[in-house]
Amino acid sequence: MTAPTSKSDRRSVETRARLLSAASELIAERGWASVSTRDLAARAGVNPALVNYHFGGKSQLLIAGAIESLQTLAGELEPVFAATSLDQLVEAALAFVQRTARSQAVRVMLEATLQAPLDPVVAGMVGVQIRAFRQLIATQVRATPRFADPEAVALVVAAALDGLLLHALAEPGTDLARAAEGFRELLRAGDVPKP
């Protein structure tokens, strides 16, 4: 994208950025279905007509705001993607859960996941993120010969990590450090030779 050259172009870019920020904040605070066009405009400090002008409507703005939040969250996953073994991946993923469980981006991710069955565009956006994370886990599982079905193990590991995030959001007193130790213990149980 080229840098805006006129004052009008700069103002347009700033308005879009404020609207995207407002969308992410309001999704996280109120839930996807509770956000109105007026709420978005008020939070961004703009005329409600600018929601349609810049994004074509509330739904498209919420999706764009969610995509931006998910991209931010994906950037925080870099240590997980850098893992070179299943053990390192699990450690990095658990650290990620502990660091981000109560973040705005995670709340937006949860809201987008809940919205997915109602909106095929949101379902596609969420599906891409979920498949990429599962594939990352499956790649590390394949390098660990004790597992016969890497994709099945990846599905369970991803679901367990999602569950930890959900528990931390729903119950702020959730002891994520203790949960992480329980997760490690379960993985170590796979190392026990079968009789």
Side-chain angles (χ1 to χ4, degrees):
M1 183 173 148
T2 59
T5 53
S6 72
K7 185 176 182 179
S8 173
D9 289 343
R10 284 191 299 277
R11 196 169 39 243
S12 180
V13 168
E14 290 167 4
T15 298
R16 284 182 60 84
R18 286 200 316 269
L19 284 166
L20 286 169
S21 179
S24 295
E25 291 169 8
L26 289 168
I27 290 169
E29 289 172 18
R30 299 182 186 177
W32 196 287
S34 297
V35 178
S36 72
T37 300
R38 286 183 191 270
D39 295 332
L40 291 161
R43 179 66 59 97
V46 300
N47 184 304
L50 291 176
V51 171
N52 288 330
Y53 176 78
H54 285 287
F55 292 94
K58 177 187 85 165
S59 181
Q60 295 91 328
L61 172 54
L62 293 177
I63 290 168
I67 289 171
E68 189 169 273
S69 281
L70 291 175
Q71 289 171 338
T72 298
L73 204 54
E76 295 206 23
L77 276 168
E78 284 184 24
V80 179
F81 285 98
T84 57
S85 71
L86 179 60
D87 291 337
Q88 284 183 357
L89 182 141
V90 168
E91 289 300 319
L94 289 168
F96 169 78
V97 167
Q98 289 178 298
R99 187 174 63 253
T100 63
R102 294 171 185 90
S103 70
Q104 175 180 307
V106 166
R107 291 191 310 274
V108 170
M109 178 188 72
L110 175 62
E111 283 295 324
T113 302
L114 293 172
Q115 185 68 17
L118 306 173
D119 186 325
V121 174
V122 178
M125 170 189 77
V126 170
V128 165
Q129 299 295 324
I130 289 172
R131 285 189 299 277
F133 189 57
R134 274 196 221 145
Q135 186 56 45
L136 166 71
I137 296 169
T139 298
Q140 299 304 341
V141 172
R142 278 190 211 93
T144 307
R146 69 182 185 246
F147 299 111
D149 188 344
E151 281 71 24
V153 173
L155 176 59
V156 170
V157 170
L161 293 168
D162 287 345
L164 283 175
L165 280 172
L166 183 59
H167 281 247
L169 281 169
E171 173 50 51
T174 300
D175 186 346
L176 289 173
R178 188 170 182 206
E181 187 47 46
F183 201 86
R184 289 183 202 100
E185 192 172 328
L186 283 172
L187 285 177
R188 285 192 298 268
D191 290 332
V192 176
K194 308 287 184 278

